[in-house]
Amino acid sequence: MIIMRDLTSLDLKFLLPELEILRGGRIQKIYQVEKKIWMEIHVHGHGTKYFYFSPGKIFLSDTKVPGPQNPRNFAMLLRKYLSNQRILDITQPGFERIIDIETEHYTLHLEIFSKGNAILCDKAGIIIQPLENQHWKDRNIYPSKPYLYPPAILNPFNMSIQEYEQIFEGKKKQLVIFMAIKMGLSGVFAEEICSRAGIEKSTPCQDLTEPQIVK
């Protein structure tokens, strides 16, 4: 049985090198069905690639899926701004569940968390149009508003042992739960990390010893 799950921040970190093939490619066509968006991108020396996005999912393929006969409004807007644009960069900001596609004149922010969203911005970071207007506690996703990233989450790849000690200090929460939620690793990877480190997953964070933290 195949268990489908949403991509985590960790997944995106290791997916990014695969997506870097799109750098220098030109966006040719864009399609949309509900919240699913896919782009046809011509990459010199590699032919046509198909980049797919939907809430919780991002992947690259050589297989084309036929687009709808009647394009959605957001797809038409993306075509207006992004058709024939060259992709300058494709990045994951920090350890967020976001992929940023930077073109010559615009940036498309693809948020895969929660309900998902795609937000087209100009070079000044002002929102031209989101797939869906959204109101959050810390930010608003509306046209003509500055695009703001969510509050930054911990990036376990940029932390020192001392910083790990600080975030675990005084935390009664179980290690596996803390890593899954606060460090954005999901339960699958958090349990695997505990297993490989030889640490009981239910250990309270505050009880970890320095050798355990190093592991």
Side-chain angles (χ1 to χ4, degrees):
M1 181 177 66
I2 298 176
I3 300 175
M4 301 298 291
R5 60 173 176 80
D6 289 350
L7 292 175
T8 67
S9 298
L10 186 62
D11 290 314
L12 284 185
K13 177 178 175 62
F14 290 100
L15 176 63
L16 198 61
E18 179 181 338
L19 300 179
E20 288 176 353
I21 193 176
L22 299 177
R23 285 182 180 150
R26 286 201 178 272
I27 300 171
Q28 297 181 316
K29 296 179 181 178
I30 301 171
Y31 304 96
Q32 176 196 357
V33 174
E34 297 179 348
K35 280 195 168 185
K36 298 178 182 178
I37 296 170
W38 61 101
M39 296 189 287
E40 184 177 308
I41 303 168
H42 178 74
V43 182
H44 181 71
H46 297 279
T48 301
K49 299 292 181 181
Y50 300 92
F51 176 85
Y52 294 88
F53 159 80
S54 64
K57 307 286 187 292
I58 281 178
F59 65 94
L60 193 61
S61 176
D62 293 324
T63 303
K64 180 179 181 179
V65 174
Q69 292 185 345
N70 299 313
R72 296 290 188 93
N73 289 338
F74 189 68
M76 293 297 290
L77 178 132
L78 291 181
R79 290 180 186 182
K80 174 183 175 182
Y81 286 96
L82 298 181
S83 289
N84 206 38
Q85 284 278 301
R86 186 166 61 90
I87 295 176
L88 301 181
D89 207 359
I90 183 163
T91 57
Q92 176 190 20
F95 201 55
E96 303 293 340
R97 293 174 67 197
I98 300 172
I99 289 292
D100 290 343
I101 299 177
E102 181 185 351
T103 72
E104 295 157 291
H105 301 294
Y106 307 99
T107 300
L108 183 63
H109 303 278
L110 300 173
E111 301 183 346
I112 71 169
F113 54 84
S114 187
K115 297 179 180 180
N117 211 348
I119 304 108
L120 180 67
C121 296
D122 63 19
K123 280 298 185 182
I126 303 301
I127 298 172
I128 297 172
Q129 185 67 46
L131 173 60
E132 182 179 87
N133 291 343
Q134 292 179 341
H135 173 74
W136 298 81
K137 176 183 177 182
D138 308 285
R139 62 197 187 117
N140 292 315
I141 305 297
Y142 296 120
S144 302
K145 297 288 186 181
Y147 176 77
L148 300 176
Y149 289 108
I153 64 173
L154 295 171
N155 187 342
F157 291 88
N158 291 343
M159 292 169 54
S160 66
I161 296 300
Q162 290 71 31
E163 287 172 320
Y164 271 102
E165 291 175 342
Q166 290 172 4
I167 66 167
F168 290 145
E169 186 177 0
K171 301 292 193 307
K172 297 180 181 180
K173 192 176 291 293
Q174 294 181 12
L175 175 61
V176 68
I177 297 175
F178 184 87
M179 288 197 298
I181 299 174
K182 295 298 184 180
M183 302 179 76
L185 297 174
S186 83
V188 173
F189 291 122
E191 290 200 16
E192 183 68 13
I193 290 168
C194 291
S195 175
R196 294 193 182 200
I199 301 172
E200 171 55 48
K201 65 181 182 180
S202 62
T203 302
C205 293
Q206 64 183 9
D207 292 347
L208 292 171
T209 64
E210 184 174 348
Q212 287 177 320
I213 293 173
V214 170
K215 284 187 176 182

Short mmCIF file of all heavy atoms in Angstrom, two decimals, residues 164-215:
data_model
loop_
_atom_site.label_atom_id
_atom_site.label_comp_id
_atom_site.label_asym_id
_atom_site.label_seq_id
_atom_site.Cartn_x
_atom_site.Cartn_y
_atom_site.Cartn_z
N TYR A 164 20.88 24.14 19.65
CA TYR A 164 20.00 23.01 19.94
C TYR A 164 19.75 22.91 21.45
O TYR A 164 18.62 22.68 21.89
CB TYR A 164 20.63 21.71 19.44
CG TYR A 164 20.28 21.37 18.01
CD1 TYR A 164 21.19 21.58 16.98
CD2 TYR A 164 19.04 20.82 17.69
CE1 TYR A 164 20.88 21.27 15.67
CE2 TYR A 164 18.73 20.50 16.38
CZ TYR A 164 19.65 20.72 15.37
OH TYR A 164 19.33 20.41 14.08
N GLU A 165 20.80 23.05 22.24
CA GLU A 165 20.66 22.99 23.69
C GLU A 165 19.68 24.05 24.19
O GLU A 165 18.85 23.80 25.08
CB GLU A 165 22.02 23.16 24.37
CG GLU A 165 22.97 21.99 24.14
CD GLU A 165 24.34 22.23 24.72
OE1 GLU A 165 24.67 23.41 24.99
OE2 GLU A 165 25.10 21.26 24.91
N GLN A 166 19.76 25.24 23.59
CA GLN A 166 18.88 26.34 24.01
C GLN A 166 17.42 26.06 23.69
O GLN A 166 16.53 26.34 24.49
CB GLN A 166 19.34 27.64 23.35
CG GLN A 166 20.67 28.17 23.89
CD GLN A 166 21.19 29.34 23.09
OE1 GLN A 166 20.54 29.84 22.17
NE2 GLN A 166 22.38 29.81 23.44
N ILE A 167 17.14 25.51 22.50
CA ILE A 167 15.73 25.30 22.15
C ILE A 167 15.11 24.13 22.91
O ILE A 167 13.90 24.10 23.13
CB ILE A 167 15.54 25.10 20.63
CG1 ILE A 167 16.21 23.79 20.16
CG2 ILE A 167 16.04 26.28 19.84
CD1 ILE A 167 15.79 23.38 18.76
N PHE A 168 15.96 23.17 23.35
CA PHE A 168 15.44 22.04 24.11
C PHE A 168 15.30 22.37 25.60
O PHE A 168 14.51 21.73 26.30
CB PHE A 168 16.36 20.82 23.96
CG PHE A 168 16.33 20.20 22.59
CD1 PHE A 168 17.48 19.65 22.05
CD2 PHE A 168 15.15 20.14 21.85
CE1 PHE A 168 17.45 19.06 20.78
CE2 PHE A 168 15.13 19.56 20.60
CZ PHE A 168 16.28 19.02 20.06
N GLU A 169 16.05 23.36 26.06
CA GLU A 169 16.09 23.68 27.49
C GLU A 169 14.70 24.05 28.02
O GLU A 169 14.02 24.91 27.47
CB GLU A 169 17.06 24.84 27.75
CG GLU A 169 17.26 25.14 29.22
CD GLU A 169 18.28 26.25 29.43
OE1 GLU A 169 18.80 26.78 28.44
OE2 GLU A 169 18.53 26.61 30.60
N GLY A 170 14.29 23.37 29.08
CA GLY A 170 13.02 23.69 29.73
C GLY A 170 11.78 23.20 28.98
O GLY A 170 10.65 23.46 29.42
N LYS A 171 11.97 22.47 27.88
CA LYS A 171 10.83 22.00 27.10
C LYS A 171 10.42 20.60 27.60
O LYS A 171 11.19 19.65 27.51
CB LYS A 171 11.19 21.92 25.60
CG LYS A 171 11.62 23.24 24.99
CD LYS A 171 10.49 24.23 24.91
CE LYS A 171 10.84 25.43 24.02
NZ LYS A 171 12.10 26.10 24.37
N LYS A 172 9.19 20.49 28.08
CA LYS A 172 8.68 19.21 28.58
C LYS A 172 8.10 18.35 27.46
O LYS A 172 7.85 17.17 27.65
CB LYS A 172 7.62 19.45 29.65
CG LYS A 172 8.15 20.16 30.89
CD LYS A 172 7.04 20.36 31.92
CE LYS A 172 7.58 21.09 33.16
NZ LYS A 172 6.50 21.30 34.16
N LYS A 173 7.90 18.93 26.29
CA LYS A 173 7.30 18.20 25.17
C LYS A 173 8.19 17.04 24.74
O LYS A 173 9.41 17.13 24.80
CB LYS A 173 7.08 19.15 23.99
CG LYS A 173 6.20 18.58 22.88
CD LYS A 173 5.95 19.63 21.81
CE LYS A 173 5.08 20.75 22.30
NZ LYS A 173 3.69 20.31 22.58
N GLN A 174 7.57 15.96 24.31
CA GLN A 174 8.33 14.80 23.83
C GLN A 174 9.17 15.20 22.62
O GLN A 174 8.73 15.96 21.77
CB GLN A 174 7.39 13.66 23.46
CG GLN A 174 6.62 13.07 24.62
CD GLN A 174 5.72 11.93 24.19
OE1 GLN A 174 5.82 11.43 23.08
NE2 GLN A 174 4.84 11.51 25.09
N LEU A 175 10.36 14.62 22.54
CA LEU A 175 11.30 14.96 21.47
C LEU A 175 10.68 14.77 20.09
O LEU A 175 10.81 15.63 19.21
CB LEU A 175 12.56 14.10 21.61
CG LEU A 175 13.61 14.25 20.49
CD1 LEU A 175 14.13 15.68 20.43
CD2 LEU A 175 14.76 13.28 20.72
N VAL A 176 10.02 13.64 19.87
CA VAL A 176 9.48 13.35 18.54
C VAL A 176 8.41 14.36 18.13
O VAL A 176 8.33 14.78 16.97
CB VAL A 176 8.91 11.90 18.48
CG1 VAL A 176 7.66 11.75 19.34
CG2 VAL A 176 8.64 11.51 17.04
N ILE A 177 7.61 14.80 19.10
CA ILE A 177 6.56 15.78 18.80
C ILE A 177 7.18 17.15 18.53
O ILE A 177 6.77 17.86 17.60
CB ILE A 177 5.56 15.86 19.96
CG1 ILE A 177 4.84 14.52 20.13
CG2 ILE A 177 4.56 16.99 19.74
CD1 ILE A 177 3.91 14.46 21.33
N PHE A 178 8.18 17.52 19.32
CA PHE A 178 8.85 18.82 19.14
C PHE A 178 9.49 18.89 17.75
O PHE A 178 9.36 19.89 17.04
CB PHE A 178 9.90 19.02 20.23
CG PHE A 178 10.56 20.36 20.17
CD1 PHE A 178 10.01 21.45 20.84
CD2 PHE A 178 11.75 20.57 19.46
CE1 PHE A 178 10.60 22.70 20.80
CE2 PHE A 178 12.35 21.80 19.41
CZ PHE A 178 11.78 22.87 20.08
N MET A 179 10.19 17.83 17.36
CA MET A 179 10.85 17.84 16.05
C MET A 179 9.85 17.84 14.91
O MET A 179 10.04 18.48 13.88
CB MET A 179 11.80 16.65 15.93
CG MET A 179 13.05 16.77 16.78
SD MET A 179 14.35 15.62 16.25
CE MET A 179 13.53 14.05 16.50
N ALA A 180 8.75 17.10 15.09
CA ALA A 180 7.75 17.01 14.03
C ALA A 180 7.07 18.34 13.79
O ALA A 180 6.87 18.75 12.64
CB ALA A 180 6.71 15.95 14.40
N ILE A 181 6.75 19.06 14.87
CA ILE A 181 5.96 20.29 14.74
C ILE A 181 6.84 21.54 14.71
O ILE A 181 6.79 22.33 13.75
CB ILE A 181 4.94 20.39 15.89
CG1 ILE A 181 3.97 19.19 15.82
CG2 ILE A 181 4.18 21.71 15.82
CD1 ILE A 181 3.01 19.11 16.98
N LYS A 182 7.65 21.72 15.74
CA LYS A 182 8.42 22.96 15.87
C LYS A 182 9.58 23.04 14.88
O LYS A 182 10.02 24.12 14.51
CB LYS A 182 8.96 23.09 17.30
CG LYS A 182 7.89 23.25 18.36
CD LYS A 182 7.07 24.50 18.15
CE LYS A 182 6.05 24.71 19.26
NZ LYS A 182 5.23 25.93 19.06
N MET A 183 10.08 21.88 14.44
CA MET A 183 11.19 21.88 13.50
C MET A 183 10.75 21.50 12.09
O MET A 183 11.58 21.38 11.19
CB MET A 183 12.30 20.94 14.00
CG MET A 183 12.79 21.32 15.39
SD MET A 183 14.09 20.24 16.04
CE MET A 183 15.49 20.82 15.10
N GLY A 184 9.44 21.31 11.91
CA GLY A 184 8.89 21.09 10.58
C GLY A 184 9.34 19.82 9.90
O GLY A 184 9.39 19.75 8.67
N LEU A 185 9.63 18.76 10.67
CA LEU A 185 10.18 17.54 10.09
C LEU A 185 9.13 16.46 9.82
O LEU A 185 9.43 15.47 9.16
CB LEU A 185 11.29 16.98 10.99
CG LEU A 185 12.51 17.89 11.17
CD1 LEU A 185 13.45 17.29 12.20
CD2 LEU A 185 13.23 18.06 9.84
N SER A 186 7.95 16.63 10.35
CA SER A 186 6.85 15.66 10.26
C SER A 186 7.14 14.44 11.13
O SER A 186 8.30 14.17 11.49
CB SER A 186 6.58 15.22 8.83
OG SER A 186 7.45 14.18 8.43
N GLY A 187 6.09 13.71 11.47
CA GLY A 187 6.24 12.56 12.35
C GLY A 187 7.10 11.46 11.75
O GLY A 187 7.87 10.81 12.46
N VAL A 188 7.02 11.26 10.43
CA VAL A 188 7.79 10.20 9.77
C VAL A 188 9.28 10.40 9.98
O VAL A 188 10.00 9.49 10.42
CB VAL A 188 7.47 10.16 8.26
CG1 VAL A 188 8.39 9.18 7.55
CG2 VAL A 188 6.02 9.76 8.04
N PHE A 189 9.78 11.61 9.66
CA PHE A 189 11.21 11.87 9.78
C PHE A 189 11.65 12.02 11.23
O PHE A 189 12.76 11.61 11.59
CB PHE A 189 11.60 13.11 8.97
CG PHE A 189 11.49 12.91 7.49
CD1 PHE A 189 10.68 13.73 6.72
CD2 PHE A 189 12.19 11.90 6.85
CE1 PHE A 189 10.56 13.55 5.35
CE2 PHE A 189 12.09 11.71 5.49
CZ PHE A 189 11.27 12.54 4.73
N ALA A 190 10.80 12.59 12.07
CA ALA A 190 11.15 12.75 13.48
C ALA A 190 11.36 11.39 14.14
O ALA A 190 12.31 11.19 14.90
CB ALA A 190 10.06 13.54 14.20
N GLU A 191 10.49 10.43 13.84
CA GLU A 191 10.64 9.10 14.41
C GLU A 191 11.89 8.40 13.88
O GLU A 191 12.58 7.70 14.62
CB GLU A 191 9.39 8.26 14.11
CG GLU A 191 8.16 8.71 14.88
CD GLU A 191 7.10 7.63 14.98
OE1 GLU A 191 7.43 6.45 14.73
OE2 GLU A 191 5.96 7.96 15.33
N GLU A 192 12.18 8.60 12.60
CA GLU A 192 13.37 7.99 12.01
C GLU A 192 14.65 8.55 12.64
O GLU A 192 15.60 7.81 12.91
CB GLU A 192 13.38 8.21 10.50
CG GLU A 192 14.53 7.55 9.77
CD GLU A 192 14.47 6.04 9.77
OE1 GLU A 192 13.41 5.48 10.12
OE2 GLU A 192 15.49 5.41 9.41
N ILE A 193 14.66 9.85 12.88
CA ILE A 193 15.83 10.49 13.50
C ILE A 193 16.05 9.93 14.91
O ILE A 193 17.18 9.61 15.30
CB ILE A 193 15.66 12.02 13.55
CG1 ILE A 193 15.74 12.59 12.12
CG2 ILE A 193 16.72 12.68 14.44
CD1 ILE A 193 15.30 14.03 12.01
N CYS A 194 14.97 9.82 15.69
CA CYS A 194 15.09 9.26 17.04
C CYS A 194 15.62 7.83 16.98
O CYS A 194 16.49 7.44 17.77
CB CYS A 194 13.74 9.29 17.75
SG CYS A 194 13.15 10.94 18.18
N SER A 195 15.11 7.05 16.04
CA SER A 195 15.53 5.65 15.90
C SER A 195 17.01 5.56 15.56
O SER A 195 17.75 4.78 16.17
CB SER A 195 14.69 4.96 14.82
OG SER A 195 15.14 3.65 14.59
N ARG A 196 17.46 6.35 14.59
CA ARG A 196 18.86 6.28 14.18
C ARG A 196 19.80 6.80 15.25
O ARG A 196 20.95 6.36 15.34
CB ARG A 196 19.05 7.07 12.88
CG ARG A 196 18.34 6.45 11.69
CD ARG A 196 18.79 7.03 10.39
NE ARG A 196 18.06 6.47 9.26
CZ ARG A 196 18.48 6.50 8.00
NH1 ARG A 196 19.64 7.08 7.71
NH2 ARG A 196 17.75 5.99 7.04
N ALA A 197 19.32 7.76 16.05
CA ALA A 197 20.15 8.31 17.13
C ALA A 197 20.13 7.40 18.37
O ALA A 197 20.91 7.62 19.30
CB ALA A 197 19.67 9.70 17.49
N GLY A 198 19.22 6.42 18.38
CA GLY A 198 19.13 5.53 19.53
C GLY A 198 18.56 6.20 20.75
O GLY A 198 18.92 5.89 21.89
N ILE A 199 17.64 7.15 20.53
CA ILE A 199 17.03 7.89 21.63
C ILE A 199 15.53 7.58 21.66
O ILE A 199 14.86 7.62 20.64
CB ILE A 199 17.24 9.41 21.45
CG1 ILE A 199 18.73 9.74 21.39
CG2 ILE A 199 16.56 10.19 22.58
CD1 ILE A 199 19.02 11.18 21.01
N GLU A 200 15.01 7.26 22.84
CA GLU A 200 13.58 7.00 22.98
C GLU A 200 12.80 8.25 22.55
O GLU A 200 13.03 9.34 23.05
CB GLU A 200 13.24 6.64 24.43
CG GLU A 200 11.77 6.57 24.75
CD GLU A 200 11.02 5.60 23.83
OE1 GLU A 200 11.51 4.47 23.64
OE2 GLU A 200 9.96 6.01 23.31
N LYS A 201 11.88 8.06 21.61
CA LYS A 201 11.19 9.21 21.00
C LYS A 201 10.34 10.01 21.99
O LYS A 201 10.08 11.19 21.78
CB LYS A 201 10.34 8.76 19.83
CG LYS A 201 9.17 7.85 20.20
CD LYS A 201 8.40 7.44 18.96
CE LYS A 201 7.18 6.57 19.31
NZ LYS A 201 6.44 6.17 18.09
N SER A 202 9.90 9.35 23.08
CA SER A 202 9.06 10.05 24.06
C SER A 202 9.86 10.82 25.10
O SER A 202 9.29 11.43 26.01
CB SER A 202 8.15 9.04 24.77
OG SER A 202 8.92 8.08 25.48
N THR A 203 11.19 10.82 24.96
CA THR A 203 12.05 11.55 25.91
C THR A 203 11.69 13.03 25.93
O THR A 203 11.62 13.66 24.86
CB THR A 203 13.53 11.41 25.53
OG1 THR A 203 13.88 10.03 25.49
CG2 THR A 203 14.43 12.15 26.52
N PRO A 204 11.44 13.62 27.10
CA PRO A 204 11.20 15.07 27.14
C PRO A 204 12.44 15.82 26.65
O PRO A 204 13.57 15.45 26.99
CB PRO A 204 10.94 15.34 28.63
CG PRO A 204 10.50 14.02 29.19
CD PRO A 204 11.26 12.98 28.41
N CYS A 205 12.23 16.85 25.88
CA CYS A 205 13.37 17.60 25.33
C CYS A 205 14.33 18.07 26.42
O CYS A 205 15.55 18.03 26.24
CB CYS A 205 12.87 18.80 24.53
SG CYS A 205 11.96 18.37 23.03
N GLN A 206 13.80 18.49 27.55
CA GLN A 206 14.64 19.04 28.62
C GLN A 206 15.53 17.99 29.27
O GLN A 206 16.49 18.33 29.97
CB GLN A 206 13.76 19.70 29.68
CG GLN A 206 12.84 18.74 30.40
CD GLN A 206 11.93 19.44 31.40
OE1 GLN A 206 11.88 20.67 31.44
NE2 GLN A 206 11.23 18.68 32.23
N ASP A 207 15.23 16.71 29.04
CA ASP A 207 16.02 15.64 29.65
C ASP A 207 17.16 15.16 28.75
O ASP A 207 17.93 14.27 29.14
CB ASP A 207 15.13 14.44 29.99
CG ASP A 207 14.15 14.75 31.11
OD1 ASP A 207 14.33 15.80 31.78
OD2 ASP A 207 13.20 13.96 31.30
N LEU A 208 17.29 15.70 27.55
CA LEU A 208 18.34 15.26 26.64
C LEU A 208 19.72 15.64 27.18
O LEU A 208 19.92 16.76 27.64
CB LEU A 208 18.14 15.88 25.26
CG LEU A 208 16.93 15.41 24.45
CD1 LEU A 208 16.76 16.28 23.22
CD2 LEU A 208 17.07 13.95 24.07
N THR A 209 20.65 14.72 27.07
CA THR A 209 22.02 15.00 27.45
C THR A 209 22.76 15.60 26.25
O THR A 209 22.29 15.51 25.11
CB THR A 209 22.75 13.73 27.89
OG1 THR A 209 22.84 12.84 26.77
CG2 THR A 209 22.00 13.04 29.03
N GLU A 210 23.91 16.19 26.50
CA GLU A 210 24.69 16.77 25.39
C GLU A 210 25.07 15.72 24.36
O GLU A 210 24.96 15.98 23.16
CB GLU A 210 25.93 17.51 25.91
CG GLU A 210 26.69 18.20 24.79
CD GLU A 210 27.84 19.03 25.30
OE1 GLU A 210 27.93 19.27 26.51
OE2 GLU A 210 28.67 19.45 24.47
N PRO A 211 25.55 14.52 24.76
CA PRO A 211 25.87 13.51 23.75
C PRO A 211 24.65 13.13 22.91
O PRO A 211 24.76 12.86 21.71
CB PRO A 211 26.35 12.33 24.60
CG PRO A 211 26.88 12.94 25.84
CD PRO A 211 25.98 14.09 26.11
N GLN A 212 23.46 13.10 23.52
CA GLN A 212 22.25 12.79 22.77
C GLN A 212 21.94 13.92 21.76
O GLN A 212 21.54 13.65 20.62
CB GLN A 212 21.07 12.58 23.71
CG GLN A 212 21.12 11.27 24.47
CD GLN A 212 19.98 11.14 25.45
OE1 GLN A 212 19.59 12.09 26.11
NE2 GLN A 212 19.42 9.92 25.53
N ILE A 213 22.12 15.14 22.18
CA ILE A 213 21.87 16.27 21.30
C ILE A 213 22.83 16.24 20.10
O ILE A 213 22.45 16.50 18.98
CB ILE A 213 21.98 17.61 22.05
CG1 ILE A 213 20.85 17.71 23.07
CG2 ILE A 213 21.95 18.80 21.09
CD1 ILE A 213 20.94 18.90 23.99
N VAL A 214 24.08 15.88 20.38
CA VAL A 214 25.06 15.77 19.30
C VAL A 214 24.62 14.72 18.28
O VAL A 214 24.70 14.92 17.07
CB VAL A 214 26.45 15.42 19.85
CG1 VAL A 214 27.42 15.06 18.72
CG2 VAL A 214 27.02 16.58 20.67
N LYS A 215 24.10 13.59 18.76
CA LYS A 215 23.58 12.55 17.88
C LYS A 215 22.44 13.07 17.03
O LYS A 215 22.32 12.76 15.84
CB LYS A 215 23.10 11.34 18.70
CG LYS A 215 24.22 10.48 19.23
CD LYS A 215 23.63 9.22 19.89
CE LYS A 215 24.72 8.26 20.37
NZ LYS A 215 24.13 7.04 20.95
#
